[in-house]
Amino acid sequence: DIQMTQTPSTLSASVGDRVTITCRASQSIITWLAWFQQRPGKAPNLLIYRASTLESGVPSRFSGSGSETEFTLTISSLQPDDFATYYCQQYRSYPETFGQGTKVEIK
Amino acid sequence: QVQLVQSGAEVKKPGASVKISCVASGFTFSKYYMHWVRQAPGQGLEWMGIINPSGDTTTYSQKFQGRVTMTRDTSTSTVYMELSSLRSEDTAVYYCTKSREGACDYWGQGTLVTVSS
């Protein structure tokens, strides 16, 4: 199975901050990577797919980059709505696997 | 608009089975793969498996092999996930998701399954 390692597991930031979350794959997944946002008690919401393609309706302050084994999700200017948990997911091969999540908290 | 509406919460005893339904609307159901993902309380997301558009091919995570069955009914645009031999560790919220080019673009609201004696 491909292991996905997200860092950090928790991140404290303020409104307006630039935030970066990293996801590393244990082997190459090319660009078969998605990022999700999950608020408490809600289903995950797709933000980015194919590592860098913004899902329709997602604010442009979210961006994704990377390939092979190293990927980043960047929020250019953190907004109050963005305090949530973020997950990466590889869909290069089965079983599809998720990172353990990064909780973005208010500083 | 795309909607995935799942069946309601379930409480089961250890050793029992549970079958969750997910009714799709707003897209051509017969053209898309569907996944199931679960999330234990306070934990991360765990992929369980996928079913192809025609329903004749499934791929399950090895973790659930032998205990999980995914099926779909095109006539009612419904996908099902049945998990057997339940144990307390199966207590989780279970999500169906629609796949677009491999990525899970729409999710159901989740179904809480509680396994308790």
Side-chain angles (χ1 to χ4, degrees), chain A residues 12-66:
Chain A
S12 295
S14 302
V15 172
D17 283 354
R18 182 181 181 88
V19 162
T20 299
I21 298 168
T22 297
C23 184
R24 287 189 174 89
S26 60
Q27 62 191 75
S28 175
I29 57 170
I30 313 176
T31 56
W32 299 107
L33 183 102
W35 288 98
F36 298 91
Q37 176 192 67
Q38 187 178 32
R39 297 191 178 97
K42 298 295 186 183
N45 183 47
L46 177 66
L47 301 174
I48 304 277
Y49 62 98
R50 286 302 299 271
S52 61
T53 303
L54 194 68
E55 174 69 349
S56 176
V58 173
S60 58
R61 63 181 179 272
F62 291 93
S63 64
S65 65

Side-chain angles (χ1 to χ4, degrees), chain A residues 59-99:
Chain A
S60 58
R61 63 181 179 272
F62 291 93
S63 64
S65 65
S67 64
E68 307 292 343
T69 62
E70 187 142 343
F71 303 86
T72 58
L73 172 71
T74 300
I75 309 172
S76 60
S77 177
L78 202 62
Q79 298 302 301
D81 242 6
D82 302 338
F83 292 96
T85 300
Y86 294 84
Y87 294 93
C88 61
Q89 181 207 16
Q90 68 81 17
Y91 51 102
R92 171 71 176 88
S93 65
Y94 299 137
E96 298 186 11
T97 45
F98 291 88

Side-chain angles (χ1 to χ4, degrees), chain B residues 48-95:
Chain B
M48 299 181 69
I50 189 169
I51 184 166
N52 73 338
S54 60
D56 58 1
T57 301
T58 51
T59 301
Y60 303 135
S61 169
Q62 189 71 22
K63 178 173 179 177
F64 303 101
Q65 199 77 34
R67 288 206 301 142
V68 69
T69 304
M70 296 177 189
T71 56
R72 62 195 292 165
D73 182 346
T74 302
S75 68
T76 59
S77 298
T78 304
V79 62
Y80 301 92
M81 190 284 297
E82 184 170 20
L83 189 63
S84 62
S85 302
L86 290 169
R87 32 208 190 230
S88 58
E89 311 89 87
D90 294 318
T91 294
V93 175
Y94 291 77
Y95 295 102

